[in-house]
């Protein structure tokens, strides 16, 4: 497990190792699905009361205690309220420029068909259509066959990228080198990182504009 890197867990419950990145918890209150495979729908969306999350916390605490003791309701509620309070790291001041404006146009053209919510997430998509490693989506006990478009809140600070946390930078994620057999920068060792090829066919200057825009989110 030490070789997986920090913030990873294998929750697929099959016999091989499929470490995935533990999702960022900032602005959880705005997320419609609570895990990358969209295992849990987050129903109190648009409502400041964290009821759905509190019930989920209670279940998790119960399981963690092998169902020997039920936590006080106040504890699950307080944990959920705390999670709702988590905000991403503060932005440096952003000066609007032409590159950011061009990048926003590219984002709206190429990305918002999936990243459609104000926070950049969106309805879950069939894993086969995204083409990233399907182990989590197809996991035996929690698999849904789906991946949620990752929320893009503070995406500049959310590396490493994708549900398994294997891509080190936005330049790598949105560039073509990652898809080739010669790629060596993946967290799980040398070799291509398949899937989510959106943006990889952009001209380098357009990709730089797109990344400049993503840094403002
Ligand atoms: C067909 C739907 C779809 C399109 C189009 C799409 N994405 Fe995604 N995006 C996803 C899904 C689903 C994931 C999560 C995939 C995974 O983790 O395996 C994702 C993940 C990401 C991530 C990783 C975020 C993180 O924290 O790990 C970034 C960044 C991203 N997309 C940016 C973009 C950009 C920029 C575009 C446009 C060039 C784009 N996406 C187009 C569906 C899409």
């Amino acid at each position: 497990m030490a070789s997986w890197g920090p913030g990873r867990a294998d929750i697929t419950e099959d016999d091989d190792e499929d470490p995935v990145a533990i999702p960022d918890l900032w602005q959880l209150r705005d997320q419609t699905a609570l895990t990358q495979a969209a295992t849990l729908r987050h129903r109190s969306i648009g409502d400041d009361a964290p009821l759905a999350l509190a019930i989920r916390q209670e279940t998790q605490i119960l399981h963690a205690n092998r169902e020997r003791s039920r936590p006080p309701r106040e504890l699950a509620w307080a944990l959920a309220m705390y999670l709702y309070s988590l905000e991403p790291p503060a932005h440096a001041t952003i000066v609007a420029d032409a590159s950011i404006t061009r990048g926003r146009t590219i984002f709206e053209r190429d990305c918002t068909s999936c990243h459609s919510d104000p926070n950049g997430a969106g309805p879950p998509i069939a894993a086969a259509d995204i083409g990233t490693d399907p182990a989590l989506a197809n996991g035996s006990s929690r698999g849904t066959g789906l991946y949620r478009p990752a929320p893009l809140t503070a995406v500049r600070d959310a590396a490493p990228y994708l549900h398994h946390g294997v891509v080190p930078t936005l330049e790598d994620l949105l560039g073509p080198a990652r898809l080739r057999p010669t790629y060596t920068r993946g967290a799980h060792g040398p070799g291509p990182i398949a899937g989510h090829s959106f943006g990889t066919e952009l001209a380098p200057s357009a990709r730089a504009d797109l990344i400049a825009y993503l840094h403002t989110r």
Side-chain angles (χ1 to χ4, degrees):
M1 288 173 74
S3 72
W4 295 353
R8 310 297 169 92
D10 182 355
I11 55 168
T12 53
E13 296 181 14
D14 54 13
D15 291 336
D16 58 358
E17 294 190 9
D18 304 296
V20 298
I22 296 172
D24 297 316
L25 295 178
W26 53 52
Q27 294 189 343
L28 204 55
R29 60 182 178 274
D30 296 330
Q31 294 184 19
T32 48
L34 291 184
T35 70
Q36 298 103 322
T39 334
L40 296 164
R41 279 175 57 197
H42 188 200
R43 288 209 176 74
S44 47
I45 190 88
D47 173 358
D48 284 340
L51 182 60
L53 187 57
I55 293 170
R56 179 65 197 157
Q57 304 282 356
E58 185 179 48
T59 311
Q60 283 175 322
I61 300 169
L62 265 169
H63 284 185
N65 289 328
R66 295 177 197 278
E67 285 156 41
R68 282 190 298 251
S69 65
R70 177 177 284 278
R73 289 260 152 87
E74 296 85 340
L75 180 63
W77 188 267
L79 259 174
M81 288 293 280
Y82 172 70
L83 292 179
Y84 269 27
S85 78
L86 297 177
E87 292 292 341
H91 258 295
T93 310
I94 293 157
V95 182
D97 66 15
S99 170
I100 292 173
T101 306
R102 287 191 302 267
R104 174 193 279 270
T105 305
I106 296 167
F107 183 80
E108 285 167 357
R109 185 192 66 198
D110 291 353
C111 315
T112 50
S113 56
C114 296
H115 295 274
S116 53
D117 291 354
N119 68 354
I125 313 275
D129 291 342
I130 301 299
T132 51
D133 183 323
L136 178 67
N138 297 339
S140 55
S141 65
R142 297 191 186 88
T144 54
L146 305 168
Y147 284 129
R148 93 181 153 181
L152 300 176
T153 307
V155 67
R156 67 195 178 283
D157 288 322
Y161 297 107
L162 296 179
H163 70 273
H164 41 350
V166 291
V167 182
T169 67
L170 285 173
E171 286 77 5
D172 286 64
L173 179 70
L174 300 171
R178 158 177 82 78
L179 303 169
R180 297 188 188 125
T182 47
Y183 186 70
T184 55
R185 287 162 50 79
H188 294 170
I193 296 176
H196 197 286
S197 56
F198 316 107
T200 59
E201 287 172 9
L202 291 171
S205 68
R207 183 174 310 113
D209 292 340
L210 177 61
I211 291 171
Y213 166 68
L214 290 175
H215 276 252
T216 69
R217 296 198 53 123

